[in-house]
Amino acid sequence: MTGFTTVWIVVGLACVAANLPFLFERVLFIWLHPSGRKGFGWRFLELLALYLVVGGLAFLLENNAHGAVYPKGWQFYAATFCLFLVFAFPGFVHCYLWRGNRRRHAVVEIPHDQE
């Protein structure tokens, strides 16, 4: 596998992984939250965990392709985490701005004659 292919595999995997917390209502993809809807804190924790998983896979692929992992400073991790947040934007929009707005307006009102 060439270095170019490896980069696109990691970028594609990061795009998919960044959106997963916003697509599923299960906390850590295992159990259902008692309220039926997990909060933003859980979603951010899952986002951070998936960032670490994708980063670990990238380290393994880099070690496999180059024989060693090159040293990286804090700037690299800050930039890649911000890029991971940008990748998560479609899932955020779907969860909070598009679908969340529909749920808020789907309130069932009781007719006045049945009160």
Side-chain angles (χ1 to χ4, degrees):
M1 188 174 345
T2 66
F4 187 73
T5 307
T6 305
V7 168
W8 284 108
I9 288 173
V10 171
V11 169
L13 184 64
C15 287
V16 171
N19 288 295
L20 287 178
F22 299 103
L23 297 178
F24 298 106
E25 291 298 329
R26 293 189 174 270
V27 176
L28 298 176
F29 309 110
I30 299 171
W31 68 85
L32 206 56
H33 196 271
S35 69
R37 187 163 160 90
K38 66 181 173 182
F40 184 74
W42 280 113
R43 294 185 199 278
F44 188 75
L45 182 69
E46 290 174 355
L47 194 69
L48 184 61
L50 287 170
Y51 169 73
L52 294 174
V53 167
V54 171
L57 179 68
F59 275 133
L60 289 174
L61 290 173
E62 182 180 7
N63 191 21
N64 188 23
H66 299 286
V69 177
Y70 297 107
K72 297 165 182 63
W74 66 270
Q75 299 92 341
F76 172 81
Y77 298 108
T80 55
F81 185 68
C82 289
L83 184 63
F84 201 74
L85 290 177
V86 169
F87 288 158
F89 185 70
F92 177 84
V93 167
H94 173 71
C95 181
Y96 287 105
L97 302 179
W98 187 67
R99 193 180 68 181
N101 193 21
R102 288 180 150 189
R103 283 186 182 171
R104 204 174 17 242
H105 293 302
V107 176
V108 177
E109 293 186 22
I110 301 172
H112 293 289
D113 59 341
Q114 293 181 0
E115 289 183 348

